[in-house]
Amino acid sequence: MITSSMSRGVLLVGTGVILVQALIQALLPGIPAQAHLSVVLWLTAGAVMLSARWHTPRPRLPFVALAAGLASAAAGYGIEAWVVPDRGPTGILGPVLVGLHLVTGACYLVAITIVVALRRPRGGHDGLIDAAAIVLAALLLGWQFGAAPGAGGSAGLSVPLVGSGSALGAVGSGSALGAVGSGSALGAVGSVSALVALAMCAVTWRLAFRAGEAAPVLLRLVAASALFAVGAGAQMLLSLDGALELIVDAARRGPGVLIASAVLHPAIRILTKREEGSARPVTPWRMLLLGAALLVLPALLVVQAVQFDARSSEVLPLAAGATALTALVLWRLGRLVVERERLRTDLQRREARFRELALYDSLTRLASRYQLMARLEALVAEVPAGAVGGTVAFVDLDAFKPVNDRYGHEVGDRVLCTVAERLSALVREGDTVSRLGGDEFILVCRDVATPAEAERLRYRLADALAVPAMLDGVEVPLSASVGLAMLHGGDDPEALIQRADTAMYEEKSAQRRGGGGIPTVAQAPS
């Protein structure tokens, strides 16, 4: 079984191998740097396949795609190192190298796309589409500044770079995914791969923020993508020689070691588990990135117009129109996003309000009938069959209608709130006080488990509600009838409330006959 310690060991050993290779490269400059990189990538591809075998992830396709990409890159670097080290690719070798490196980029994209699709929340297709749009825009930029044919059939734009006079799409040999030869289509692949690496780095880093236990794996992949992009950029933009060349070559081998350490970490299994939760809302940053991606095409038209002066009169109007149209569409989409967020916020507020109305009485803030029944069902399920689990008290105010008729409904509502406060003050934590409606209340007292305790509860309730309510200097008389029912395991909640209701009406009838109430508690029918 592979452990996290072994994964760290692979990282340390791999770093040592890179340092040894750098020493060999310094002492034996006849061995091309691509040969060292090819060895590292072959070893990394083997580590990925071992991980797929030992960790048995489901699905294995991301691992297979990653291994295939690494093997394709290793093969390309090997050909560069030993077949075309001096004269450059000739004949069929040029297209073969281009094909190998394009396969590498495609395999990497397949692997990261599957991981993103698995890690996104269910139904979160929007995020995947947004990521695809941003990566596609990066590829278009890379193609334009790297591989697109320019005037006279040369590759790339004739834009001076860092005083070297070289073209942006024709810089350096061996950059990123193995670009060979200044001005060739293969040399342009480096800029494309660097942009793809940066996009992969951004996507992977975004995943790392919500990775949980998989964070060590994803952070290694982030470091690999960033190091890969730095190496590609240095190859394209800098004039490398001596120690700087050794450092850049070592940095280009670093991603292989980081990937090997990541895939051998036990937490790699988590990457193929779908993330739970709902899709995330559209943020201003996401809209900004999408807007930038959408503006890529008109921007490239402008670049074409600047590059080809002969066609400026044809391209500039088209570029201006495309830019204006894109800006209008973005403005409209931005307004739609704002409206969507407003509607979503309003919907959440309404849902919270409906949930509150379902759980609580709007006047007294006591538990609603829905919440009462849910708590009764849970309590009945907890108590063993036949055992006593508490007492249900049904409280009905006496002569409440005359209060409304004499003082008005506003005073009547205040009286109901006063009653709710008094009842809540009599119960313990964990008990339930609910208003059924009108002047009827229900109490569920878990610790009142004997008829004697139930009777004491009934007298406390009656005494608390016999005190008149003082409202703005007006004394409003109060009294209440209380019916009790013992709660047993297996009782039906509706039948339990009905028994307490029946006991309450029996007490009210006894009071009307002058009997002063009946000191009995309703029991479950045998």
Side-chain angles (χ1 to χ4, degrees):
M1 177 64 68
I2 300 295
T3 64
S4 57
S5 299
M6 295 177 66
S7 174
R8 289 192 293 270
V10 169
L11 186 61
L12 293 176
V13 171
T15 303
V17 169
I18 291 177
L19 294 177
V20 170
Q21 286 182 330
L23 181 61
I24 294 174
Q25 186 177 351
L27 297 177
L28 301 174
I31 300 178
Q34 289 89 342
H36 298 292
L37 184 54
S38 178
V39 171
V40 172
L41 292 179
W42 279 119
L43 293 175
T44 306
V48 173
M49 293 309 297
L50 285 176
S51 173
R53 178 179 178 84
W54 288 336
H55 294 314
T56 61
R58 291 293 183 271
R60 292 190 180 186
L61 185 56
F63 293 82
V64 174
L66 180 58
L70 291 167
S72 178
Y77 283 121
I79 294 174
E80 292 177 30
W82 303 113
V83 180
V84 289
D86 297 321
R87 63 182 182 275
T90 59
I92 193 65
L93 288 179
V96 168
L97 288 176
V98 172
L100 284 174
H101 296 311
L102 290 178
V103 167
T104 297
C107 289
Y108 289 166
L109 285 177
V110 167
I112 194 65
T113 299
I114 294 175
V115 171
V116 171
L118 289 169
R119 291 296 298 169
R120 65 175 173 81
R122 295 186 182 275
H125 301 285
D126 294 343
L128 194 59
I129 296 172
D130 294 346
I134 295 168
V135 171
L136 180 58
L139 288 173
L140 286 174
L141 285 173
W143 175 263
Q144 174 63 43
F145 294 107
S154 63
L157 296 175
S158 299
V159 180
L161 183 66
V162 201
S164 64
S166 60
L168 184 58
V171 285
S173 62
S175 64
L177 289 179
V180 179
S182 175
S184 65
L186 184 60
V189 176
S191 59
V192 180
S193 62
L195 289 168
V196 172
L198 287 173
M200 291 171 59
C201 179
V203 172
T204 309
W205 179 257
R206 186 68 186 90
L207 286 173
F209 277 112
R210 57 184 183 188
E213 296 179 2
V217 173
L218 288 175
L219 290 175
R220 284 174 170 84
L221 295 179
V222 167
S225 297
L227 201 57
F228 179 64
V230 168
Q235 284 284 341
M236 289 187 294
L237 302 177
L238 301 178
S239 178
L240 302 179
D241 192 15
L244 182 59
E245 183 178 7
L246 292 177
I247 294 173
V248 172
D249 288 337
R252 291 172 58 204
R253 295 191 286 271
V257 175
L258 289 166
I259 291 173
S261 176
V263 297
L264 291 175
H265 196 283
I268 193 69
R269 300 188 190 95
I270 302 176
L271 285 183
T272 56
K273 293 182 179 179
R274 185 175 297 278
E275 183 183 16
E276 298 298 330
S278 58
R280 300 191 172 191
V282 178
T283 61
W285 279 110
R286 180 184 292 189
M287 285 301 301
L288 181 62
L289 287 175
L290 288 174
L294 193 56
L295 286 170
V296 163
L297 192 55
L300 293 182
L301 288 174
V302 173
V303 170
Q304 290 281 353
V306 173
Q307 179 187 8
F308 304 118
D309 292 333
R311 293 193 296 146
S312 295
S313 60
E314 301 176 9
V315 179
L316 280 178
L318 179 60
T323 303
L325 178 60
T326 302
L328 288 174
V329 172
L330 284 176
W331 182 37
R332 185 69 184 95
L333 289 177
R335 290 177 60 86
L336 287 176
V337 170
V338 172
E339 179 65 14
R340 176 185 173 185
E341 288 300 305
R342 187 189 66 79
L343 292 175
R344 188 176 65 87
T345 303
D346 184 64
L347 179 60
Q348 290 178 343
R349 185 166 56 249
R350 289 174 181 269
E351 287 178 348
R353 176 59 177 166
F354 291 151
R355 191 180 305 113
E356 183 180 359
L357 290 176
L359 296 178
Y360 299 96
D361 177 62
S362 59
L363 175 64
T364 62
R365 311 303 303 159
L366 297 178
S368 65
R369 181 182 181 89
Y370 173 81
Q371 186 176 178
L372 169 68
M373 299 306 295
R375 293 187 179 182
L376 274 178
E377 290 175 358
L379 181 58
V380 167
E382 291 177 6
V383 179
V388 178
T391 297
V392 174
F394 196 116
V395 178
D396 180 76
L397 298 182
D398 298 328
F400 182 70
K401 186 176 182 301
V403 173
N404 276 330
D405 294 340
R406 180 177 180 182
Y407 300 102
H409 290 282
E410 182 179 352
V411 173
D413 289 344
R414 294 174 64 184
V415 169
L416 293 175
C417 292
T418 301
V419 171
E421 293 173 359
R422 294 182 184 180
L423 294 178
S424 298
L426 291 175
V427 300
R428 302 177 181 177
E429 184 178 357
D431 294 342
T432 300
V433 182
S434 171
R435 180 187 175 214
L436 287 186
D439 58 353
E440 295 178 338
F441 299 83
I442 291 285
L443 291 82
V444 180
C445 302
R446 301 169 62 101
D447 295 329
V448 180
T450 65
E453 293 174 342
E455 277 303 311
R456 286 195 291 271
L457 172 65
R458 185 164 72 92
Y459 285 120
R460 288 204 311 272
L461 294 174
D463 290 344
L465 298 181
V467 179
M470 298 298 298
L471 302 174
D472 297 333
V474 178
E475 183 178 285
V476 180
L478 291 177
S479 66
S481 300
V482 181
L484 304 175
M486 304 302 295
L487 184 150
H488 299 80
D491 278 347
D492 177 66
E494 291 285 356
L496 187 61
I497 293 177
Q498 185 60 44
R499 292 205 308 271
D501 187 18
T502 301
M504 183 273 299
Y505 276 107
E506 290 177 354
E507 179 183 354
K508 191 180 291 284
S509 298
Q511 289 177 347
R512 289 171 180 170
R513 293 193 301 267
I518 52 175
T520 59
V521 181
Q523 302 290 334
S526 58

